[in-house]
Amino acid sequence: MKIPLSYSFRNLWTRRLTTILTASGIALVVFVFASILMLSEGLRKALVDTGSYDNVVIIRKGSDSEVQSGVERIQASIVETQPEVAIGADGKRLLAKELVVLISLPKRGTDKPSNVVIRGTSESSLPLRPQVKLVEGRLPRAGSSEILAGRSIAKRFKGGGLGETIRFGMRDWTVVGIFDAGNTGFSSEIWGDVDQLMSVFRRPAYSSVIFKLRDPSGFEKFKARVESDPRLTVEADRETVYYAKQSEMMAKFIRILGLSLTMIFSLGAIIGAMITMYSAVANRTAEIGTMRALGFRRRDILFAFMVESLLLSFTGGCAGLFFSSFMQLLTISTMNFQTFSELAFTFALTFEIFYKALLFSLIMGFIGGVLPAARASRMNIVEALREG
């Protein structure tokens, strides 16, 4: 004879105050756990979505990012002649030689300086990134001191708005257009003419060469040939892989820090669940003795108390997930350790985070409930009735 599930529900409802307090503790832990994972996923997604699978990024061998890279002009020209480079509708090669440098700009409101990526772009840079859309103003004229600003830059930094001026490289640069790249790293960049920027920053070499593959399946063959070419000191990666590497260090740091905090908080939640369940056992000693006298087996008692503990933690887990889902409405910015530049991104809730958070709450409930449930199941019938 099994104990009905409604018995566990009723017991939780009878002890509403302790149920709410314990579930709130578990909800807080799940909220922190899910938020950390959402933060890490948001950072990873912002950078991975920045790239396209069909695009290839060429940087100097041994460089971790475009900021540290330098591709000589002659080497960029050799890459440009490779047969894997796709041809656009206008008959030109879909290849861009770009420069990436960092400048410091003050933030709106606080005047606190932060590093911002300046990307020197060419004619093919926009067609290579279909996710980048001009939403205000116009494109800069070639050879001029005009720039485009990402939507995040326009919103967060002084001088980044349409028609405003930013001074760097001993020149005033006018923002003539605002582009939106969605939740990607490009939204945190400023784009200008590559030749003008190389002149201003006195850079003799490009930072990277980006091109679209004529046939995406030909990447491995291209990579092997280019990286073994004695004339070249470069390495090639798919753009998605390159940007995924950019997120690794920061995402790992966030996960380690966040999960460490979560582990500490979870100990408190487990102890809270354990105290609640021990209290439930202590208050129902006579009830447990009666159930045993009626014929319920030890494992039925054990199962009933475990179900009660798991229901408690599941309720807390759902509440924690519910409140953490609102974090998706926030946009935050932080410094990317790989490029030392400001990057704005949003929290991202995925199905994987959803089930991991619920599983984590159930594990807390299981650990917190197993000892009180075992104690309840081992009670002697006579002693339980006498104590009650």
Side-chain angles (χ1 to χ4, degrees):
M1 185 166 54
K2 292 183 179 179
I3 300 172
L5 191 61
S6 57
Y7 171 78
S8 300
F9 277 111
R10 282 201 303 271
N11 282 317
L12 288 175
W13 179 249
T14 302
R15 295 175 286 109
R16 287 189 289 276
L17 181 60
T18 53
T19 297
I20 291 172
L21 291 176
T22 307
S24 299
I26 293 173
L28 177 63
V29 176
V30 171
F31 174 82
V32 174
F33 179 73
S35 297
I36 293 299
L37 293 182
M38 289 166 64
L39 184 65
S40 175
E41 178 63 17
L43 174 66
R44 191 199 66 80
K45 196 168 185 294
L47 286 172
V48 172
D49 286 354
T50 301
S52 300
Y53 181 76
D54 295 346
N55 288 353
V56 176
V57 178
I58 307 288
I59 59 174
R60 187 186 66 203
K61 193 170 287 182
S63 303
D64 291 328
S65 68
E66 291 173 290
V67 176
Q68 302 167 357
S69 170
V71 181
E72 296 177 5
R73 290 175 183 267
I74 184 66
Q75 295 189 357
S77 298
I78 292 172
V79 173
E80 189 173 11
T81 61
Q82 299 301 309
E84 285 84 0
V85 180
I87 306 296
D90 57 359
K92 296 180 180 177
R93 290 178 177 271
L94 284 173
L95 178 143
K97 302 166 188 174
E98 299 185 340
L99 176 74
V100 174
V101 293
L102 298 178
I103 64 168
S104 181
L105 287 180
K107 291 184 178 179
R108 295 187 190 278
T110 63
D111 279 338
K112 186 179 177 183
S114 185
N115 287 340
V116 171
V117 168
I118 303 284
R119 183 178 294 275
T121 58
S122 58
E123 190 180 354
S124 297
S125 293
L126 269 178
L128 281 169
R129 282 107 176 193
Q131 69 272 41
V132 178
K133 308 287 185 190
L134 184 69
V135 292
E136 290 182 62
R138 59 174 175 80
L139 294 175
R141 290 190 295 267
S144 68
S145 297
E146 295 177 343
I147 52 177
L148 290 177
R151 189 183 282 281
S152 176
I153 295 293
K155 184 179 178 183
R156 305 172 70 87
F157 287 90
K158 281 187 173 179
L162 184 64
E164 295 182 316
T165 301
I166 299 175
R167 185 168 182 79
F168 60 86
M170 305 296 287
R171 273 201 213 174
D172 290 327
W173 300 77
T174 305
V175 180
V176 297
I178 305 294
F179 64 84
D180 183 13
N183 186 29
T184 70
F186 291 132
S187 290
S188 301
E189 295 185 356
I190 295 172
W191 289 13
D193 182 84
V194 65
D195 294 323
Q196 291 297 309
L197 291 171
M198 288 179 75
S199 170
V200 163
F201 289 106
R202 299 179 182 177
R203 297 292 180 92
Y206 299 106
S207 298
S208 61
V209 177
I210 293 94
F211 71 88
K212 187 179 182 65
L213 283 166
R214 185 191 298 267
D215 176 9
S217 64
F219 171 72
E220 294 302 331
K221 184 180 174 184
F222 167 80
K223 179 180 174 68
R225 189 177 68 249
V226 166
E227 292 185 352
S228 61
D229 191 326
R231 300 171 297 172
L232 302 174
T233 53
V234 299
E235 58 186 37
D237 268 320
R238 288 188 187 273
E239 203 174 24
T240 48
V241 174
Y242 169 77
Y243 282 108
K245 289 179 180 175
Q246 300 295 297
S247 71
E248 281 179 0
M249 186 183 295
M250 188 68 186
K252 188 176 181 181
F253 171 76
I254 291 172
R255 280 198 297 271
I256 291 174
L257 178 65
L259 293 179
S260 301
L261 290 174
T262 302
M263 288 301 109
I264 294 170
F265 289 159
S266 66
L267 287 177
I270 289 171
I271 292 171
M274 197 173 287
I275 291 172
T276 301
M277 294 309 299
Y278 267 125
S279 172
V281 173
N283 291 332
R284 284 144 61 190
T285 304
E287 187 178 310
I288 293 168
T290 304
M291 291 168 68
R292 292 279 290 118
L294 290 173
F296 288 104
R297 292 168 294 184
R298 291 182 186 276
R299 66 184 180 191
D300 296 325
I301 303 292
L302 177 74
F303 181 75
F305 275 87
M306 284 305 303
V307 167
E308 199 170 315
S309 179
L310 292 174
L311 281 174
L312 187 63
S313 60
F314 182 74
T315 304
C318 289
L321 269 175
F322 174 75
F323 289 109
S324 64
S325 67
F326 290 101
M327 298 297 286
Q328 296 177 98
L329 303 176
L330 298 179
T331 298
I332 64 169
S333 65
T334 185
M335 177 179 286
N336 186 348
F337 291 170
Q338 208 81 18
T339 61
F340 300 104
S341 61
E342 176 102 352
L343 176 68
F345 59 97
T346 59
F347 290 74
L349 178 60
T350 63
F351 177 73
E352 185 181 1
I353 295 173
F354 181 83
Y355 86 75
K356 278 183 177 176
L358 280 184
L359 182 63
F360 182 56
S361 68
L362 290 174
I363 289 173
M364 284 192 289
F366 180 84
I367 297 174
V370 67
L371 290 178
R375 181 174 182 274
S377 67
R378 288 201 304 268
M379 281 186 175
N380 180 276
I381 298 175
V382 176
E383 290 179 358
L385 290 172
R386 187 182 298 158
E387 288 178 16

PDB file of all heavy atoms in Angstrom, residues 79-113:
ATOM      1  N   VAL A  79      46.847  36.381 -49.644  1.00  0.00           N
ATOM      2  CA  VAL A  79      45.578  35.761 -49.211  1.00  0.00           C
ATOM      3  C   VAL A  79      44.451  36.140 -50.170  1.00  0.00           C
ATOM      4  O   VAL A  79      43.598  35.313 -50.521  1.00  0.00           O
ATOM      5  CB  VAL A  79      45.229  36.206 -47.776  1.00  0.00           C
ATOM      6  CG1 VAL A  79      43.833  35.719 -47.385  1.00  0.00           C
ATOM      7  CG2 VAL A  79      46.255  35.688 -46.783  1.00  0.00           C
ATOM      8  N   GLU A  80      44.481  37.366 -50.644  1.00  0.00           N
ATOM      9  CA  GLU A  80      43.407  37.863 -51.522  1.00  0.00           C
ATOM     10  C   GLU A  80      43.337  37.083 -52.841  1.00  0.00           C
ATOM     11  O   GLU A  80      42.274  36.985 -53.457  1.00  0.00           O
ATOM     12  CB  GLU A  80      43.644  39.355 -51.812  1.00  0.00           C
ATOM     13  CG  GLU A  80      42.494  40.036 -52.518  1.00  0.00           C
ATOM     14  CD  GLU A  80      42.730  41.540 -52.616  1.00  0.00           C
ATOM     15  OE1 GLU A  80      43.869  41.986 -52.334  1.00  0.00           O
ATOM     16  OE2 GLU A  80      41.773  42.257 -52.961  1.00  0.00           O
ATOM     17  N   THR A  81      44.463  36.530 -53.247  1.00  0.00           N
ATOM     18  CA  THR A  81      44.480  35.818 -54.538  1.00  0.00           C
ATOM     19  C   THR A  81      44.097  34.348 -54.421  1.00  0.00           C
ATOM     20  O   THR A  81      44.063  33.645 -55.428  1.00  0.00           O
ATOM     21  CB  THR A  81      45.892  35.899 -55.153  1.00  0.00           C
ATOM     22  OG1 THR A  81      46.824  35.273 -54.245  1.00  0.00           O
ATOM     23  CG2 THR A  81      46.307  37.339 -55.391  1.00  0.00           C
ATOM     24  N   GLN A  82      43.794  33.890 -53.220  1.00  0.00           N
ATOM     25  CA  GLN A  82      43.479  32.469 -53.036  1.00  0.00           C
ATOM     26  C   GLN A  82      42.137  32.126 -53.719  1.00  0.00           C
ATOM     27  O   GLN A  82      41.189  32.929 -53.697  1.00  0.00           O
ATOM     28  CB  GLN A  82      43.395  32.129 -51.550  1.00  0.00           C
ATOM     29  CG  GLN A  82      44.685  32.356 -50.775  1.00  0.00           C
ATOM     30  CD  GLN A  82      45.846  31.543 -51.315  1.00  0.00           C
ATOM     31  OE1 GLN A  82      45.740  30.331 -51.494  1.00  0.00           O
ATOM     32  NE2 GLN A  82      46.957  32.235 -51.606  1.00  0.00           N
ATOM     33  N   PRO A  83      42.066  30.947 -54.304  1.00  0.00           N
ATOM     34  CA  PRO A  83      40.849  30.575 -55.049  1.00  0.00           C
ATOM     35  C   PRO A  83      39.623  30.365 -54.159  1.00  0.00           C
ATOM     36  O   PRO A  83      38.496  30.354 -54.656  1.00  0.00           O
ATOM     37  CB  PRO A  83      41.254  29.263 -55.733  1.00  0.00           C
ATOM     38  CG  PRO A  83      42.387  28.719 -54.914  1.00  0.00           C
ATOM     39  CD  PRO A  83      43.117  29.911 -54.392  1.00  0.00           C
ATOM     40  N   GLU A  84      39.813  30.205 -52.848  1.00  0.00           N
ATOM     41  CA  GLU A  84      38.656  29.955 -51.962  1.00  0.00           C
ATOM     42  C   GLU A  84      37.865  31.225 -51.662  1.00  0.00           C
ATOM     43  O   GLU A  84      36.770  31.158 -51.094  1.00  0.00           O
ATOM     44  CB  GLU A  84      39.140  29.355 -50.636  1.00  0.00           C
ATOM     45  CG  GLU A  84      39.554  27.896 -50.695  1.00  0.00           C
ATOM     46  CD  GLU A  84      40.990  27.729 -51.162  1.00  0.00           C
ATOM     47  OE1 GLU A  84      41.644  28.768 -51.430  1.00  0.00           O
ATOM     48  OE2 GLU A  84      41.445  26.582 -51.269  1.00  0.00           O
ATOM     49  N   VAL A  85      38.401  32.393 -52.024  1.00  0.00           N
ATOM     50  CA  VAL A  85      37.706  33.646 -51.730  1.00  0.00           C
ATOM     51  C   VAL A  85      36.493  33.796 -52.653  1.00  0.00           C
ATOM     52  O   VAL A  85      36.623  33.695 -53.885  1.00  0.00           O
ATOM     53  CB  VAL A  85      38.657  34.851 -51.910  1.00  0.00           C
ATOM     54  CG1 VAL A  85      37.917  36.156 -51.609  1.00  0.00           C
ATOM     55  CG2 VAL A  85      39.870  34.715 -51.005  1.00  0.00           C
ATOM     56  N   ALA A  86      35.321  34.025 -52.060  1.00  0.00           N
ATOM     57  CA  ALA A  86      34.078  34.144 -52.843  1.00  0.00           C
ATOM     58  C   ALA A  86      34.063  35.464 -53.624  1.00  0.00           C
ATOM     59  O   ALA A  86      34.707  36.446 -53.244  1.00  0.00           O
ATOM     60  CB  ALA A  86      32.873  34.071 -51.908  1.00  0.00           C
ATOM     61  N   ILE A  87      33.315  35.458 -54.719  1.00  0.00           N
ATOM     62  CA  ILE A  87      33.145  36.647 -55.553  1.00  0.00           C
ATOM     63  C   ILE A  87      31.740  37.200 -55.336  1.00  0.00           C
ATOM     64  O   ILE A  87      30.753  36.459 -55.373  1.00  0.00           O
ATOM     65  CB  ILE A  87      33.341  36.308 -57.048  1.00  0.00           C
ATOM     66  CG1 ILE A  87      34.694  35.607 -57.263  1.00  0.00           C
ATOM     67  CG2 ILE A  87      33.237  37.571 -57.899  1.00  0.00           C
ATOM     68  CD1 ILE A  87      35.900  36.448 -56.946  1.00  0.00           C
ATOM     69  N   GLY A  88      31.634  38.501 -55.104  1.00  0.00           N
ATOM     70  CA  GLY A  88      30.335  39.122 -54.859  1.00  0.00           C
ATOM     71  C   GLY A  88      29.554  39.356 -56.141  1.00  0.00           C
ATOM     72  O   GLY A  88      30.034  39.097 -57.254  1.00  0.00           O
ATOM     73  N   ALA A  89      28.321  39.839 -55.971  1.00  0.00           N
ATOM     74  CA  ALA A  89      27.451  40.083 -57.132  1.00  0.00           C
ATOM     75  C   ALA A  89      28.034  41.140 -58.058  1.00  0.00           C
ATOM     76  O   ALA A  89      27.742  41.158 -59.273  1.00  0.00           O
ATOM     77  CB  ALA A  89      26.068  40.522 -56.642  1.00  0.00           C
ATOM     78  N   ASP A  90      28.853  42.044 -57.497  1.00  0.00           N
ATOM     79  CA  ASP A  90      29.461  43.096 -58.325  1.00  0.00           C
ATOM     80  C   ASP A  90      30.766  42.653 -58.979  1.00  0.00           C
ATOM     81  O   ASP A  90      31.469  43.457 -59.593  1.00  0.00           O
ATOM     82  CB  ASP A  90      29.716  44.345 -57.465  1.00  0.00           C
ATOM     83  CG  ASP A  90      30.600  44.037 -56.254  1.00  0.00           C
ATOM     84  OD1 ASP A  90      30.988  42.852 -56.081  1.00  0.00           O
ATOM     85  OD2 ASP A  90      30.904  44.965 -55.487  1.00  0.00           O
ATOM     86  N   GLY A  91      31.110  41.378 -58.839  1.00  0.00           N
ATOM     87  CA  GLY A  91      32.318  40.851 -59.456  1.00  0.00           C
ATOM     88  C   GLY A  91      33.572  41.056 -58.625  1.00  0.00           C
ATOM     89  O   GLY A  91      34.663  40.638 -59.042  1.00  0.00           O
ATOM     90  N   LYS A  92      33.438  41.681 -57.472  1.00  0.00           N
ATOM     91  CA  LYS A  92      34.608  41.912 -56.619  1.00  0.00           C
ATOM     92  C   LYS A  92      34.711  40.806 -55.564  1.00  0.00           C
ATOM     93  O   LYS A  92      33.707  40.200 -55.182  1.00  0.00           O
ATOM     94  CB  LYS A  92      34.505  43.275 -55.932  1.00  0.00           C
ATOM     95  CG  LYS A  92      34.516  44.441 -56.901  1.00  0.00           C
ATOM     96  CD  LYS A  92      34.421  45.760 -56.150  1.00  0.00           C
ATOM     97  CE  LYS A  92      34.425  46.934 -57.122  1.00  0.00           C
ATOM     98  NZ  LYS A  92      34.268  48.236 -56.429  1.00  0.00           N
ATOM     99  N   ARG A  93      35.943  40.612 -55.102  1.00  0.00           N
ATOM    100  CA  ARG A  93      36.160  39.594 -54.087  1.00  0.00           C
ATOM    101  C   ARG A  93      35.567  40.040 -52.747  1.00  0.00           C
ATOM    102  O   ARG A  93      35.743  41.195 -52.348  1.00  0.00           O
ATOM    103  CB  ARG A  93      37.652  39.320 -53.909  1.00  0.00           C
ATOM    104  CG  ARG A  93      38.260  38.599 -55.103  1.00  0.00           C
ATOM    105  CD  ARG A  93      39.735  38.369 -54.934  1.00  0.00           C
ATOM    106  NE  ARG A  93      40.254  37.616 -56.061  1.00  0.00           N
ATOM    107  CZ  ARG A  93      40.301  36.291 -56.108  1.00  0.00           C
ATOM    108  NH1 ARG A  93      39.917  35.587 -55.072  1.00  0.00           N
ATOM    109  NH2 ARG A  93      40.750  35.660 -57.188  1.00  0.00           N
ATOM    110  N   LEU A  94      34.877  39.100 -52.066  1.00  0.00           N
ATOM    111  CA  LEU A  94      34.286  39.406 -50.754  1.00  0.00           C
ATOM    112  C   LEU A  94      35.364  39.243 -49.700  1.00  0.00           C
ATOM    113  O   LEU A  94      35.411  38.256 -48.952  1.00  0.00           O
ATOM    114  CB  LEU A  94      33.103  38.493 -50.480  1.00  0.00           C
ATOM    115  CG  LEU A  94      31.811  38.847 -51.230  1.00  0.00           C
ATOM    116  CD1 LEU A  94      30.757  37.772 -51.014  1.00  0.00           C
ATOM    117  CD2 LEU A  94      31.296  40.195 -50.784  1.00  0.00           C
ATOM    118  N   LEU A  95      36.263  40.197 -49.650  1.00  0.00           N
ATOM    119  CA  LEU A  95      37.412  40.166 -48.732  1.00  0.00           C
ATOM    120  C   LEU A  95      37.658  41.570 -48.190  1.00  0.00           C
ATOM    121  O   LEU A  95      37.583  42.548 -48.947  1.00  0.00           O
ATOM    122  CB  LEU A  95      38.638  39.634 -49.460  1.00  0.00           C
ATOM    123  CG  LEU A  95      39.954  39.558 -48.677  1.00  0.00           C
ATOM    124  CD1 LEU A  95      40.744  38.318 -49.057  1.00  0.00           C
ATOM    125  CD2 LEU A  95      40.808  40.820 -48.933  1.00  0.00           C
ATOM    126  N   ALA A  96      37.915  41.657 -46.903  1.00  0.00           N
ATOM    127  CA  ALA A  96      38.171  42.959 -46.280  1.00  0.00           C
ATOM    128  C   ALA A  96      39.473  42.892 -45.482  1.00  0.00           C
ATOM    129  O   ALA A  96      39.683  41.959 -44.707  1.00  0.00           O
ATOM    130  CB  ALA A  96      37.011  43.333 -45.365  1.00  0.00           C
ATOM    131  N   LYS A  97      40.337  43.897 -45.729  1.00  0.00           N
ATOM    132  CA  LYS A  97      41.566  44.026 -44.933  1.00  0.00           C
ATOM    133  C   LYS A  97      41.271  45.082 -43.875  1.00  0.00           C
ATOM    134  O   LYS A  97      40.944  46.220 -44.207  1.00  0.00           O
ATOM    135  CB  LYS A  97      42.724  44.464 -45.822  1.00  0.00           C
ATOM    136  CG  LYS A  97      42.987  43.508 -46.992  1.00  0.00           C
ATOM    137  CD  LYS A  97      43.890  44.157 -48.022  1.00  0.00           C
ATOM    138  CE  LYS A  97      43.990  43.313 -49.263  1.00  0.00           C
ATOM    139  NZ  LYS A  97      44.742  43.988 -50.350  1.00  0.00           N
ATOM    140  N   GLU A  98      41.374  44.686 -42.623  1.00  0.00           N
ATOM    141  CA  GLU A  98      40.886  45.573 -41.562  1.00  0.00           C
ATOM    142  C   GLU A  98      41.956  45.864 -40.508  1.00  0.00           C
ATOM    143  O   GLU A  98      42.909  45.088 -40.328  1.00  0.00           O
ATOM    144  CB  GLU A  98      39.652  44.951 -40.888  1.00  0.00           C
ATOM    145  CG  GLU A  98      38.503  44.745 -41.877  1.00  0.00           C
ATOM    146  CD  GLU A  98      37.232  44.251 -41.220  1.00  0.00           C
ATOM    147  OE1 GLU A  98      37.310  43.713 -40.100  1.00  0.00           O
ATOM    148  OE2 GLU A  98      36.163  44.414 -41.836  1.00  0.00           O
ATOM    149  N   LEU A  99      41.751  46.972 -39.837  1.00  0.00           N
ATOM    150  CA  LEU A  99      42.620  47.377 -38.731  1.00  0.00           C
ATOM    151  C   LEU A  99      41.770  47.445 -37.468  1.00  0.00           C
ATOM    152  O   LEU A  99      40.648  47.951 -37.506  1.00  0.00           O
ATOM    153  CB  LEU A  99      43.213  48.764 -39.020  1.00  0.00           C
ATOM    154  CG  LEU A  99      44.070  49.370 -37.905  1.00  0.00           C
ATOM    155  CD1 LEU A  99      45.423  48.657 -37.834  1.00  0.00           C
ATOM    156  CD2 LEU A  99      44.276  50.869 -38.113  1.00  0.00           C
ATOM    157  N   VAL A 100      42.298  46.937 -36.367  1.00  0.00           N
ATOM    158  CA  VAL A 100      41.577  47.008 -35.090  1.00  0.00           C
ATOM    159  C   VAL A 100      42.506  47.630 -34.051  1.00  0.00           C
ATOM    160  O   VAL A 100      43.600  47.108 -33.796  1.00  0.00           O
ATOM    161  CB  VAL A 100      41.118  45.616 -34.629  1.00  0.00           C
ATOM    162  CG1 VAL A 100      40.497  45.692 -33.245  1.00  0.00           C
ATOM    163  CG2 VAL A 100      40.119  45.040 -35.614  1.00  0.00           C
ATOM    164  N   VAL A 101      42.093  48.746 -33.486  1.00  0.00           N
ATOM    165  CA  VAL A 101      42.858  49.403 -32.422  1.00  0.00           C
ATOM    166  C   VAL A 101      41.900  49.762 -31.293  1.00  0.00           C
ATOM    167  O   VAL A 101      40.677  49.747 -31.472  1.00  0.00           O
ATOM    168  CB  VAL A 101      43.571  50.679 -32.932  1.00  0.00           C
ATOM    169  CG1 VAL A 101      44.648  50.345 -33.933  1.00  0.00           C
ATOM    170  CG2 VAL A 101      42.565  51.656 -33.518  1.00  0.00           C
ATOM    171  N   LEU A 102      42.470  50.087 -30.146  1.00  0.00           N
ATOM    172  CA  LEU A 102      41.664  50.477 -28.991  1.00  0.00           C
ATOM    173  C   LEU A 102      41.892  51.950 -28.676  1.00  0.00           C
ATOM    174  O   LEU A 102      43.015  52.445 -28.762  1.00  0.00           O
ATOM    175  CB  LEU A 102      42.036  49.642 -27.761  1.00  0.00           C
ATOM    176  CG  LEU A 102      41.829  48.136 -27.841  1.00  0.00           C
ATOM    177  CD1 LEU A 102      42.298  47.475 -26.552  1.00  0.00           C
ATOM    178  CD2 LEU A 102      40.369  47.813 -28.080  1.00  0.00           C
ATOM    179  N   ILE A 103      40.824  52.633 -28.325  1.00  0.00           N
ATOM    180  CA  ILE A 103      40.946  53.995 -27.806  1.00  0.00           C
ATOM    181  C   ILE A 103      40.123  54.068 -26.518  1.00  0.00           C
ATOM    182  O   ILE A 103      39.281  53.198 -26.256  1.00  0.00           O
ATOM    183  CB  ILE A 103      40.447  55.060 -28.804  1.00  0.00           C
ATOM    184  CG1 ILE A 103      38.947  54.897 -29.055  1.00  0.00           C
ATOM    185  CG2 ILE A 103      41.243  55.018 -30.083  1.00  0.00           C
ATOM    186  CD1 ILE A 103      38.334  56.077 -29.785  1.00  0.00           C
ATOM    187  N   SER A 104      40.372  55.084 -25.741  1.00  0.00           N
ATOM    188  CA  SER A 104      39.625  55.265 -24.499  1.00  0.00           C
ATOM    189  C   SER A 104      38.618  56.395 -24.676  1.00  0.00           C
ATOM    190  O   SER A 104      38.975  57.491 -25.124  1.00  0.00           O
ATOM    191  CB  SER A 104      40.600  55.594 -23.361  1.00  0.00           C
ATOM    192  OG  SER A 104      39.904  55.760 -22.154  1.00  0.00           O
ATOM    193  N   LEU A 105      37.370  56.114 -24.340  1.00  0.00           N
ATOM    194  CA  LEU A 105      36.310  57.134 -24.444  1.00  0.00           C
ATOM    195  C   LEU A 105      35.579  57.258 -23.105  1.00  0.00           C
ATOM    196  O   LEU A 105      35.411  56.255 -22.392  1.00  0.00           O
ATOM    197  CB  LEU A 105      35.289  56.740 -25.520  1.00  0.00           C
ATOM    198  CG  LEU A 105      35.705  56.854 -26.984  1.00  0.00           C
ATOM    199  CD1 LEU A 105      34.557  56.431 -27.881  1.00  0.00           C
ATOM    200  CD2 LEU A 105      36.121  58.278 -27.309  1.00  0.00           C
ATOM    201  N   PRO A 106      35.127  58.473 -22.763  1.00  0.00           N
ATOM    202  CA  PRO A 106      34.356  58.630 -21.519  1.00  0.00           C
ATOM    203  C   PRO A 106      32.911  58.182 -21.709  1.00  0.00           C
ATOM    204  O   PRO A 106      32.318  58.402 -22.767  1.00  0.00           O
ATOM    205  CB  PRO A 106      34.440  60.134 -21.249  1.00  0.00           C
ATOM    206  CG  PRO A 106      34.626  60.747 -22.595  1.00  0.00           C
ATOM    207  CD  PRO A 106      35.397  59.756 -23.430  1.00  0.00           C
ATOM    208  N   LYS A 107      32.367  57.577 -20.660  1.00  0.00           N
ATOM    209  CA  LYS A 107      30.974  57.124 -20.729  1.00  0.00           C
ATOM    210  C   LYS A 107      30.030  58.280 -20.444  1.00  0.00           C
ATOM    211  O   LYS A 107      30.383  59.221 -19.726  1.00  0.00           O
ATOM    212  CB  LYS A 107      30.736  56.005 -19.712  1.00  0.00           C
ATOM    213  CG  LYS A 107      31.443  54.711 -20.051  1.00  0.00           C
ATOM    214  CD  LYS A 107      31.064  53.629 -19.050  1.00  0.00           C
ATOM    215  CE  LYS A 107      31.730  52.316 -19.408  1.00  0.00           C
ATOM    216  NZ  LYS A 107      31.405  51.252 -18.453  1.00  0.00           N
ATOM    217  N   ARG A 108      28.852  58.200 -21.007  1.00  0.00           N
ATOM    218  CA  ARG A 108      27.832  59.209 -20.725  1.00  0.00           C
ATOM    219  C   ARG A 108      27.414  59.105 -19.257  1.00  0.00           C
ATOM    220  O   ARG A 108      27.287  58.020 -18.717  1.00  0.00           O
ATOM    221  CB  ARG A 108      26.608  58.992 -21.612  1.00  0.00           C
ATOM    222  CG  ARG A 108      26.851  59.185 -23.102  1.00  0.00           C
ATOM    223  CD  ARG A 108      25.547  59.128 -23.869  1.00  0.00           C
ATOM    224  NE  ARG A 108      25.758  59.063 -25.312  1.00  0.00           N
ATOM    225  CZ  ARG A 108      25.995  60.124 -26.079  1.00  0.00           C
ATOM    226  NH1 ARG A 108      26.025  61.324 -25.533  1.00  0.00           N
ATOM    227  NH2 ARG A 108      26.165  59.983 -27.382  1.00  0.00           N
ATOM    228  N   GLY A 109      27.224  60.223 -18.631  1.00  0.00           N
ATOM    229  CA  GLY A 109      26.735  60.240 -17.251  1.00  0.00           C
ATOM    230  C   GLY A 109      27.829  60.224 -16.219  1.00  0.00           C
ATOM    231  O   GLY A 109      27.832  61.018 -15.288  1.00  0.00           O
ATOM    232  N   THR A 110      28.812  59.316 -16.385  1.00  0.00           N
ATOM    233  CA  THR A 110      29.833  59.169 -15.344  1.00  0.00           C
ATOM    234  C   THR A 110      31.190  59.736 -15.743  1.00  0.00           C
ATOM    235  O   THR A 110      32.037  59.954 -14.878  1.00  0.00           O
ATOM    236  CB  THR A 110      30.023  57.684 -15.003  1.00  0.00           C
ATOM    237  OG1 THR A 110      30.507  57.001 -16.165  1.00  0.00           O
ATOM    238  CG2 THR A 110      28.719  57.059 -14.559  1.00  0.00           C
ATOM    239  N   ASP A 111      31.435  59.948 -17.023  1.00  0.00           N
ATOM    240  CA  ASP A 111      32.746  60.378 -17.541  1.00  0.00           C
ATOM    241  C   ASP A 111      33.838  59.350 -17.280  1.00  0.00           C
ATOM    242  O   ASP A 111      35.019  59.639 -17.454  1.00  0.00           O
ATOM    243  CB  ASP A 111      33.177  61.722 -16.924  1.00  0.00           C
ATOM    244  CG  ASP A 111      32.515  62.900 -17.616  1.00  0.00           C
ATOM    245  OD1 ASP A 111      32.088  62.718 -18.773  1.00  0.00           O
ATOM    246  OD2 ASP A 111      32.415  63.975 -17.006  1.00  0.00           O
ATOM    247  N   LYS A 112      33.454  58.158 -16.832  1.00  0.00           N
ATOM    248  CA  LYS A 112      34.447  57.121 -16.572  1.00  0.00           C
ATOM    249  C   LYS A 112      34.962  56.572 -17.903  1.00  0.00           C
ATOM    250  O   LYS A 112      34.178  56.161 -18.759  1.00  0.00           O
ATOM    251  CB  LYS A 112      33.795  55.994 -15.770  1.00  0.00           C
ATOM    252  CG  LYS A 112      34.764  54.930 -15.325  1.00  0.00           C
ATOM    253  CD  LYS A 112      34.030  53.871 -14.514  1.00  0.00           C
ATOM    254  CE  LYS A 112      34.984  52.748 -14.131  1.00  0.00           C
ATOM    255  NZ  LYS A 112      34.283  51.666 -13.412  1.00  0.00           N
ATOM    256  N   PRO A 113      36.295  56.578 -18.116  1.00  0.00           N
ATOM    257  CA  PRO A 113      36.814  56.111 -19.401  1.00  0.00           C
ATOM    258  C   PRO A 113      36.782  54.593 -19.533  1.00  0.00           C
ATOM    259  O   PRO A 113      36.912  53.862 -18.546  1.00  0.00           O
ATOM    260  CB  PRO A 113      38.260  56.635 -19.399  1.00  0.00           C
ATOM    261  CG  PRO A 113      38.625  56.705 -17.960  1.00  0.00           C
ATOM    262  CD  PRO A 113      37.369  57.030 -17.213  1.00  0.00           C
TER     263      PRO A 113
END
